[in-house]
Amino acid sequence: MTEAAELSPAPDEARTVFGEFFPEAVRYAELLADAGVKRGLIGPREVPRLWERHLLNCAVLSEVVPEGVTVCDVGSGAGLPGIPLALVRPDLKITLLEPLLRRTNFLQEVVELLGLDHVTVVRGRAEEVLGTLQPVHVVTARAVAPLDRLAGWGVPLLRPYGEMLALKGDTAEEEIKGARAALSKLGVVETSVLQVGEGIVDPLATVVRVKVGESPGGVRFATKRAKAAQVGRARRRR
């Protein structure tokens, strides 16, 4: 058995980014390095670079999230980027959406331990909660799927004129080109690639921003959303 990798000390940038919530960020990093590894949510090789590669890389997403909006973190996994975002932005109302039970159990424990009252954990797939989860202003995601597939899950969860922010790598521009037709069918009206984290992370974090018009998900999902909402109202009346 190999010896467990050690969590590196928090860099000075972490104190700047997390501010008064720095102690909570440290506790979250410790949980990822311990329970996160034991439960298979984080690879042991990631532990020494948790701060730079994961927590800070996700926290800087806050630079492009509007103030006071609702957010759904699709395929939240171990809580990335949703929990770092929640720690730096208490003005947001965040839903961590994750289908696997062992992950939602971990997320719920983290939320309660860190006192994140503005965060809700929901178990399910994006296509399953359509119509039951209130449409949000912003959908976030990191390392979930290629852009065309990710948009098919995330875009229908948006409010009209909302946006999806996906943390991506060097292939962001290529993914947009390859997904253009699929994005158009989903009601996407604008795409762009943003670089965030100047002075905090190196290399900068790459974010694909996908904006929708008045019909998030396109006509097909508008119909599906309406039917799901109708079923939900009928169940509540019983």
Side-chain angles (χ1 to χ4, degrees), residues 48-205:
R49 51 186 184 179
L50 272 176
W51 283 106
E52 291 81 1
R53 187 180 175 91
H54 298 286
L55 274 76
L56 288 174
N57 187 267
C58 290
V60 296
L61 183 63
S62 65
E63 295 177 17
V64 289
V65 178
E67 188 174 346
V69 298
T70 53
V71 177
C72 181
D73 189 32
V74 172
S76 195
L80 302 165
I83 289 177
L85 183 62
L87 287 170
V88 297
R89 294 290 300 276
D91 61 296
L92 304 175
K93 189 173 182 180
I94 299 177
T95 298
L96 306 179
L97 182 62
E98 168 57 46
L100 295 184
L101 180 60
R102 63 186 173 89
R103 293 177 180 171
T104 54
N105 284 342
F106 174 79
L107 292 174
Q108 191 60 52
E109 291 167 16
V110 171
V111 166
E112 292 175 4
L113 187 64
L114 301 185
L116 300 176
D117 296 335
H118 58 305
V119 178
T120 302
V121 178
V122 174
R123 184 185 176 198
R125 300 181 185 279
E127 57 270 32
E128 296 170 346
V129 301
L130 190 64
T132 58
L133 189 70
Q134 284 292 320
V136 296
H137 297 93
V138 176
V139 163
T140 59
R142 179 180 189 247
V144 174
L147 186 59
D148 54 351
R149 205 183 327 155
L150 174 61
W153 298 332
V155 167
L157 300 176
L158 290 169
R159 294 169 51 136
Y161 308 105
E163 60 185 8
M164 183 176 75
L165 300 171
L167 282 160
K168 288 287 183 179
D170 297 336
T171 61
E173 295 280 5
E174 294 175 24
E175 284 199 50
I176 288 178
K177 289 178 182 177
R180 211 169 288 283
L183 294 175
S184 179
K185 289 180 181 178
L186 288 167
V188 172
V189 296
E190 182 184 332
T191 58
S192 57
V193 176
L194 311 173
Q195 301 288 328
V196 296
E198 182 72 43
I200 302 296
V201 292
D202 184 19
L204 298 178

